[in-house]
Each structure stands twice: as structure tokens, then as C-alpha cells.
């Protein structure tokens, strides 16, 4: 892809709403200067960020490539890099990027970049894609572009990203996939990162209200004081694991978050397992954040409300710092169970909105509509 007649290469970052758009906007501040420095030859780049749900209704990479080609042909863009937070699969492989030098476009699946340092990895991948598309491409004897885009080095030598064959009738002429156990974990953590599990905390207002109310009442209950004072650390750990697991299970079952594939192919089952594991991790991280918050709130409440003389008369032990922590810990487990019951007051849509990215919500809506139809 060559620069436009004005000597400026116009690069469009076509991003799905929510996280991909935020990532695209952040990188657009520094991308022109970085691309100009790396490309040399006095070339300049103009970056445009377009936020629209280009993946709506399909997860098929070839179909998305055709959709991006149609979108780009209607605009005065030299290069189009599309960013989505949906994990893309093709022929049983997890897709990192599809590229078409002929049309000057690239499709990048952000979950394949992992869950850590996502902004940096995404910026490097976009830089390499743009530079690869902007440079003249030598061809192999068969006429296909030579694999020169070093996406394998976006995250170091040990990254499990490697080129993959492309079908003759496909729009893409260069494809990168991710494979192996490390590749699976990388996509999984990327999916959890895309769901942003910390948003589960403010998204479950009724469940949190029930948990806080349960904790406030339990903290002033003398029977709870006695139980907490008698529990050993292993039993407190068991109470924590049990209450958190109950909360996770209840949220997944009550809001119907478990993914069931309508297809019986091994690829469909593998994809369903990946989605379900990401759901458990997303909800689990959100519940753990809630649990830690409950421990902290209960500790502050106990400091304010407990009287050492009354506590000692009920438990026959003087009140000390260890008792505050033990009571707060045990009450947090009790409150988490109360929160699980309170989550039943939340609508399924509210829980899904708190647990998933917008693209994942739309994907699940589409699957539900197909199932109901």
C-alpha cells in the first residue's frame, strides 16, 4: 500500500465499541509519530479512529474481512486495521490476525494478545501491521506475499504466534494464529481481560446491598462472635472457598451464563469450553474482589461497633486485633452467601452486562435468538 498523493498515509482504526475503541483512541495519540520514525523516508501518517460494531452478527473471519473491505471502499482510507475483543477461530485454530495487502487491511483479535500489557501489545501489533501493509511486498514464486510481518516478535521470542496457510478463495493473503497450551492460556486471559471482571462489583448493586446488610447484622451478633472465635484458619479457608464457589455457581446458573453449543463438532465443543472457562474466571475474579471488599468493610464496621467488655463477656476471651480480623473474615463468608441470595433480585440482563463486554453480550444475544427460533 502506497502513501496518498498528498504524501500522507491515512490509517483507519476500525474498532468495536467499548474496550477496542478505548485502546484505539489511546494508541492514536502516539501512533503517527512512532510510525513515521519506524518507516523512515519522510513518510507521514494520519490516524482516524472509527468506533462501530463491525463484528455484529458474525464471528467468521472471512466474512469479517469482506465486511471490512466493503467498509473501507466507501472511505478515503489507505490502510484499515480492524480491532475486535471477540476471540476468532478458523479451522480449529485461534486467530491472531488476518491481512490483505491487496486491499490494505488487517483484522486483529485482541484476546489473542493476552490479558497483560494489552495496550502495549496491541500498539506493537498495529504498528507492525501498518508498516507491513504500507511497504511494497515482494512475492513468492506462487504470487503470494512473503510473510514479512514479524507479529511473532510482538511479545518476544517465546510467543506462540506463527503464520498459517490461507485458502486461495479468501480475501486474506497472510494469516497469523496462536497455538499450543500457552496460546490457549493467552487467549483465555485475553477473553477475561476483555470482559473486565472488576465491573461486576458495581454491576451487582442488589447483591452487594444484601451482602452488606448481612454483614452488618452478623457483626453485632454474639453467636457469630462465638463461632468466629472458635474457628481455626483451615475452617475459615473452607468457609471462604465454599461461599465464593456458591456465589459463582449461583450467578452462572441464575443468569444462564453457561454456554451450550448447538453444534456437535469438536471445534464447537472446544470453543464452548473456552467460553465457559472464561465465564468462570470472569465471575470468579469479580466475586473475589467483592469478597475482599466485604472483609475490609466488615473490619472497619467491627472497629466502630464492637465493645471489648461485651465481647469478652460473651466469648470469655479479651478482644484483640486477631479477633477483629477473624470476625471480619468469617462475616465476609456469611455475607457472601447473603449476597448470592440477593443476586436473585438482579435481572439476568444486569448480570450479563456486568460480566461481559458489549461484543460478548451481542454474541450471546444472537445465539439465544437462534436457539429460540
Amino acid at each position: 500500500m502506497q502513501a496518498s498523493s498528498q504524501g500522507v498515509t491515512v490509517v483507519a482504526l476500525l474498532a468495536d465499541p467499548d474496550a477496542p475503541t478505548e485502546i484505539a483512541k489511546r494508541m492514536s495519540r502516539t501512533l503517527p509519530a512512532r510510525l513515521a520514525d519506524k518507516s523512515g523516508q519522510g513518510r507521514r501518517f494520519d490516524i482516524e479512529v472509527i468506533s462501530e460494531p463491525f463484528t455484529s452478527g458474525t464471528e467468521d473471519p472471512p466474512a469479517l474481512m469482506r465486511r471490512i473491505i466493503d467498509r473501507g471502499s466507501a472511505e478515503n482510507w489507505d490502510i484499515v486495521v480492524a480491532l475486535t475483543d471477540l476471540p476468532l477461530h478458523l479451522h480449529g485454530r485461534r486467530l491472531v490476525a488476518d491481512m490483505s495487502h491487496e486491499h490494505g487491511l488487517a483484522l486483529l483479535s485482541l484476546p489473542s494478545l493476552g490479558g497483560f500489557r494489552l495496550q502495549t501489545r496491541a500498539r506493537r501489533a498495529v504498528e507492525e501491521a501498518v508498516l507491513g501493509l504500507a511497504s511494497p511486498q515482494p512475492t513468492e514464486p506462487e504470487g503470494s506475499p512473503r510473510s514479512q510481518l514479524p507479529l511473532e516478535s510482538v511479545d518476544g521470542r517465546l510467543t506462540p504466534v506463527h503464520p498459517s496457510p490461507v485458502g486461495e478463495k479468501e480475501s486474506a493473503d497472510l494469516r497469523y494464529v496462536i497455538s499450543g497450551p500457552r496460546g490457549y492460556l493467552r487467549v483465555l486471559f485475553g477473553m477475561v481481560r476483555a470482559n473486565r471482571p472488576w465491573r461486576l462489583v458495581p454491576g451487582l448493586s442488589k447483591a452487594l446491598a444484601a451482602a452488606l446488610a448481612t454483614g452488618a447484622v452478623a457483626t453485632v451478633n454474639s453467636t457469630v462472635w462465638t463461632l468466629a472465635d472458635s474457628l481455626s484458619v483451615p475452617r475459615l479457608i473452607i468457609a471462604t472457598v465454599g461461599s465464593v464457589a456458591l456465589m459463582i455457581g449461583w450467578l452462572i446458573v441464575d443468569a444462564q451464563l453457561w454456554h451450550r453449543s448447538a453444534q456437535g463438532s469438536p471445534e464447537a465443543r472446544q470453543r464452548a469450553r473456552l467460553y465457559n472457562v472464561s465465564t468462570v474466571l470472569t465471575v470468579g475474579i469479580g466475586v473475589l474482589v467483592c469478597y475482599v471488599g466485604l472483609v475490609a468493610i466488615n473490619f472497619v464496621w467491627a472497629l466502630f461497633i464492637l465493645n471489648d467488655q461485651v465481647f469478652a463477656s460473651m466469648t470469655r476471651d479479651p478482644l484483640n486485633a486477631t479477633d477483629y480480623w477473624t470476625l471480619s473474615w468469617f462475616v465476609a463468608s456469611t455475607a457472601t452467601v447473603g449476597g448470592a441470595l440477593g443476586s436473585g433480585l438482579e435481572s439476568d440482563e444486569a448480570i450479563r452486562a456486568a460480566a461481559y463486554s458489549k461484543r460478548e453480550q451481542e454474541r450471546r444475544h444472537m445465539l439465544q435468538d437462534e436457539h429460540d427460533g
Side-chain angles (χ1 to χ4, degrees):
M1 197 72 181
Q2 302 299 320
S4 62
S5 58
Q6 292 80 12
V8 178
T9 301
V10 180
V11 179
L13 299 181
L14 183 63
D16 267 334
D18 209 7
T21 296
E22 295 175 8
I23 291 173
K25 288 181 177 179
R26 282 195 293 266
M27 74 170 64
S28 66
R29 301 166 189 165
T30 60
L31 205 53
R34 293 180 63 90
L35 289 173
D37 290 341
K38 289 188 175 183
S39 64
Q41 303 175 352
R43 176 174 291 177
R44 292 185 296 156
F45 293 84
D46 184 21
I47 307 298
E48 297 182 14
V49 177
I50 300 90
S51 178
E52 60 182 56
F54 71 92
T55 59
S56 180
T58 182
E59 295 179 72
D60 181 49
L64 292 176
M65 291 290 284
R66 292 191 296 270
R67 184 177 294 181
I68 299 167
I69 291 173
D70 294 339
R71 181 68 176 87
S73 62
E75 303 288 345
N76 189 28
W77 298 329
D78 298 309
I79 295 174
V80 181
V81 179
L83 306 175
T84 180
D85 56 0
L86 279 181
L88 300 178
H89 301 75
L90 191 65
H91 307 311
R93 299 184 177 185
R94 292 173 281 275
L95 182 71
V96 177
D98 260 358
M99 298 183 62
S100 172
H101 293 83
E102 176 184 357
H103 300 95
L105 64 86
L107 170 63
L108 180 63
S109 176
L110 294 177
S112 64
L113 301 180
F116 304 102
R117 300 190 298 118
L118 178 58
Q119 184 68 43
T120 300
R121 290 177 177 176
R123 189 200 69 227
R124 291 178 180 174
V126 170
E127 288 175 3
E128 299 295 349
V130 172
L131 293 175
L133 293 171
S135 302
Q137 291 296 313
T139 57
E140 299 289 356
E142 292 81 1
S144 59
R146 188 175 301 166
S147 300
Q148 289 190 335
L149 183 66
L151 278 182
E152 301 100 321
S153 62
V154 165
D155 192 38
R157 298 178 180 177
L158 298 179
T159 181
V161 178
H162 56 83
S164 178
V166 182
E168 294 181 358
K169 297 182 180 181
E170 295 188 45
S171 302
D173 52 37
L174 186 59
R175 173 169 295 147
Y176 283 88
V177 297
I178 193 167
S179 60
R182 292 184 67 248
Y184 176 87
L185 292 176
R186 183 165 166 170
V187 173
L188 178 61
F189 291 145
M191 293 173 66
V192 174
R193 171 66 174 77
N195 289 332
R196 296 190 283 189
W198 52 88
R199 298 190 306 180
L200 192 67
V201 179
L204 299 176
S205 57
K206 295 183 179 64
L208 286 176
L212 291 173
T214 303
V217 173
T219 302
V220 297
N221 188 294
S222 60
T223 303
V224 175
W225 299 349
T226 304
L227 284 173
D229 188 59
S230 63
L231 289 176
S232 61
V233 172
R235 290 193 174 188
L236 288 171
I237 293 175
I238 292 174
T240 298
V241 173
S243 61
V244 169
L246 177 63
M247 182 69 160
I248 294 172
W250 179 263
L251 287 174
I252 291 176
V253 173
D254 185 59
Q256 299 179 359
L257 302 182
W258 198 255
H259 177 78
R260 292 180 176 84
S261 176
Q263 304 174 359
S265 64
E267 180 179 348
R269 289 195 297 268
Q270 181 184 21
R271 187 181 306 180
R273 285 195 296 269
L274 183 63
Y275 280 123
N276 287 330
V277 173
S278 71
T279 295
V280 172
L281 289 178
T282 297
V283 177
I285 292 173
V287 171
L288 284 175
V289 171
C290 292
Y291 188 90
V292 172
L294 287 173
V295 172
I297 293 173
N298 290 331
F299 181 79
V300 174
W301 175 240
L303 287 176
F304 175 76
I305 203 68
L306 290 185
N307 180 279
D308 53 351
Q309 294 180 351
V310 176
F311 185 90
S313 65
M314 293 295 178
T315 62
R316 303 182 185 279
D317 287 321
L319 183 62
N320 53 48
T322 302
D323 292 323
Y324 281 110
W325 282 113
T326 302
L327 179 63
S328 302
W329 188 356
F330 177 64
V331 168
S333 299
T334 306
T336 299
V337 176
L341 299 177
S343 67
L345 302 175
E346 304 277 4
S347 68
D348 293 349
E349 293 299 322
I351 296 177
R352 293 191 189 103
Y356 295 123
S357 67
K358 289 184 179 180
R359 293 299 96 216
E360 179 65 5
Q361 292 176 54
E362 289 188 1
R363 188 190 71 82
R364 287 174 178 264
H365 278 307
M366 182 182 66
L367 292 176
Q368 184 63 39
D369 292 341
E370 292 177 355
H371 182 268
D372 294 340

